[in-house]
């Protein structure tokens, strides 16, 4: 079995936790509601594309596209 990639949402959560910024500071900087961030961080809610873009900019995140996964024939 191949190496499983972390979901994008999990990677964003990890980046938030590793940022050294408090969630409160992130929310205030972005103008995002603290309840929105809390639901996202616990996995019970999502982020709008606007909030996701702003968060990615703040955390200096980039998406890297990897090689396509080979398809399994006969399944």
């Amino acid at each position: 079995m191949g190496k499983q990639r972390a979901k994008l949402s999990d990677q964003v959560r990890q980046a938030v936790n590793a940022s050294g910024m408090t969630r409160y500071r992130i929310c205030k900087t972005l103008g995002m509601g603290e309840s929105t961030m809390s639901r996202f961080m616990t996995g019970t809610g999502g982020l709008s594309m606007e909030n996701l873009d702003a968060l990615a900019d703040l955390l200096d995140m980039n998406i890297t596209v990897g090689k396509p996964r080979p398809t399994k024939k006969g399944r």
Side-chain angles (χ1 to χ4, degrees), residues 24-66:
Y24 175 81
R25 175 56 48 209
I26 291 170
C27 291
K28 289 300 176 190
T29 301
L30 300 180
M32 181 188 306
E34 292 177 68
S35 59
T36 299
M37 176 64 85
S38 179
R39 284 191 301 272
F40 172 71
M41 293 300 288
T42 60
T44 59
L47 294 177
S48 69
M49 290 304 293
E50 180 181 337
N51 282 338
L52 182 60
D53 285 344
L55 186 56
D57 285 344
L58 178 68
L59 300 178
D60 197 27
M61 295 182 71
N62 293 301
I63 293 177
T64 303
V65 179

Side-chain angles (χ1 to χ4, degrees), residues 5 65-71:
R5 294 183 200 188
V65 179
K67 295 179 184 176
R69 295 181 187 173
T71 57

